[in-house]
Amino acid sequence: MQELFTTYFAELLAGLWMTARLTAVSFLGSLVVGTIAAAFRISPIVPLRAVGRLYVELFVNIPLISLLVIVTFGLPDVGVTFDLFTCAAVSMVLLGGAFTCEAIRTGVNAVSVGQIEAARSIGLDFFGVLRHVLFPQAYRSVVQPLVNVFIGILLSSSLAGVIGVKDLTLQVSEINNQAALGLTAYMIAAFAYVIISLLAGWAGARLEKRWRVQR
Amino acid sequence: MSTQEHIFDAAGPRARRTIRIVTVLSGLAIAAVVVLVILRFSAAGQLAADRWAEFTQWPYIQFLLAGLGNTAVAAAVAALFAIPTALLMALARTSHRAWLRRPATAYIEFFRSVPLLLVVYIFVSGLPTYGINPDIFWKLVIPIALCSSGVMAEIFRAGILALPAGQVEAALSIGLLHSQATRYVVLPQAVRIVVPSMVAQLVVLLKDTTLGYAVSYPELMKTANNLTAYTNHLIQTYLVIGVVYVVTNILISHFARYLEARISGRTARTGRAEEQREAMPAAIG
């Protein structure tokens, strides 16, 4: 225990920072990609709807490790090379975006039809309806599912270690391989994940309360 | 009618023309992207027939099928342990006895918010320090079972909570004990409600087994990795494997949706399906 904090403190912090960065970047990216995909899926443009549908079906169902390996070790074969962090972030945004899209779509479906008819009758076009009527309400009603997406991204960020991104999970595993500390290092990492998840859940509950849509 | 059809209902002549133009333009853009990808692949020589031919030859297919078999076994055994554990934990968490409820809550919340890979590493290099050193199969399957039992317990709990409180009250008022009310009233209904979500959860289990790649258990992902070490056809192999996973998972989720449609047909309009979906965590991984 003592050794863990004196010798390996820097490694632990670096791992935690990497996990935080990867999770934050991937979650924000997922929100952007998920919103665009949701707009595609509810648009009147048939090819875009098809692309949105295909995107979601593909990335909701592919295991993250497969995608990580394709992006990291496969794409260089066709001349596309990113650094490891970007590989991990791109893979996680692709997956997270698909789940975010589905969450947002549930929220869109919860908006009553009358509001959309009203919005159209005062002359809003498609983007106007999305921007001023649908999405603001959709986001507010899916705070909890989006928190679940966040926690999902946080937990799956550990898989980035498989391609060599030194996140918290990989760091404690390496620390343990050097120092054979038994469970100590792992339990500290586990509680870090639990605390971040609980904080996310708490923040989500507060936001949901503040943003609740009165219907 | 769903909301989505109303965003662009009854387009006028100008809107119809805009829609047509954008449709054509976006169609062209998509075609351009597809062509670019194909050109990129063929310029890198990745479309050459001999790089793909192995996936039509039986020895290679057999090699990958063995991996798929190991994936199925790992997922099935994990489910076999996870589902009963999850049911017990959900019952304990909804119990009125605090000494049951608190440990179950801690168990569920812990395994729901810890990365599977971390638990796998604990089994691979943490527990052997204490003399606990099972076969690699169990080092993969036990963590999967632990983590997914946390998630599944919440699904069961959502099913239990979805029952109207009046049912348990009625059962108690005709003289049943709590345990009897649980056994004869709550469980038969709750279990039936959550069957589709449990089936959908199999997709997550199947994805979880890909962690075999990290700990060298020869499931499909690791098998593909072994194959590429021999053929060096990286992108082809992983794309084929990716398609196998996607197709399998789509089939499982369609089956889950079919079950849900059947069940919600029988227990119409209780809003149970919605309540459950709220409880479903996003299973990214």
Side-chain angles (χ1 to χ4, degrees), chain A residues 60-61 64 109 116 120 186, chain B residues 3-4 7 125 207 249 285:
Chain A
V60 157
N61 285 306
L64 178 56
N109 280 329
I116 294 156
R120 283 186 56 78
Y186 289 122
Chain B
T3 311
Q4 294 164 25
I7 304 170
S125 63
K207 288 179 178 175
N249 287 338

Side-chain angles (χ1 to χ4, degrees), chain A residues 35-112:
Chain A
T35 304
I36 295 171
F40 275 21
R41 289 203 68 174
I42 56 181
S43 78
I45 315 295
V46 175
L48 292 186
R49 293 174 76 110
V51 166
R53 173 112 201 264
L54 189 71
Y55 164 72
V56 169
E57 286 284 334
L58 216 58
F59 288 100
V60 157
N61 285 306
I62 196 165
L64 178 56
I65 293 192
S66 314
L67 191 62
L68 280 170
V69 170
I70 291 176
V71 171
T72 316
F73 305 125
L75 286 189
D77 282 0
V78 288
V80 181
T81 317
F82 304 118
D83 64 285
L84 286 180
F85 181 85
T86 314
C87 285
V90 165
S91 308
M92 285 169 59
V93 166
L94 283 172
L95 253 78
F99 284 95
T100 308
C101 168
E102 289 310 86
I104 293 175
R105 243 161 39 94
T106 337
V108 167
N109 280 329
V111 178
S112 71

Side-chain angles (χ1 to χ4, degrees), chain B residues 70-86 116 137-138 140-149 152 202 204-206 208-209:
Chain B
N70 285 338
T71 291
V73 171
V77 174
L80 217 61
F81 282 100
I83 293 175
T85 313
L116 174 59
F137 175 78
W138 296 109
L140 178 66
V141 167
I142 295 174
I144 294 178
L146 287 173
C147 287
S148 52
S149 72
M152 287 173 167
L202 292 183
V204 182
L205 275 181
L206 203 74
D208 284 348
T209 60

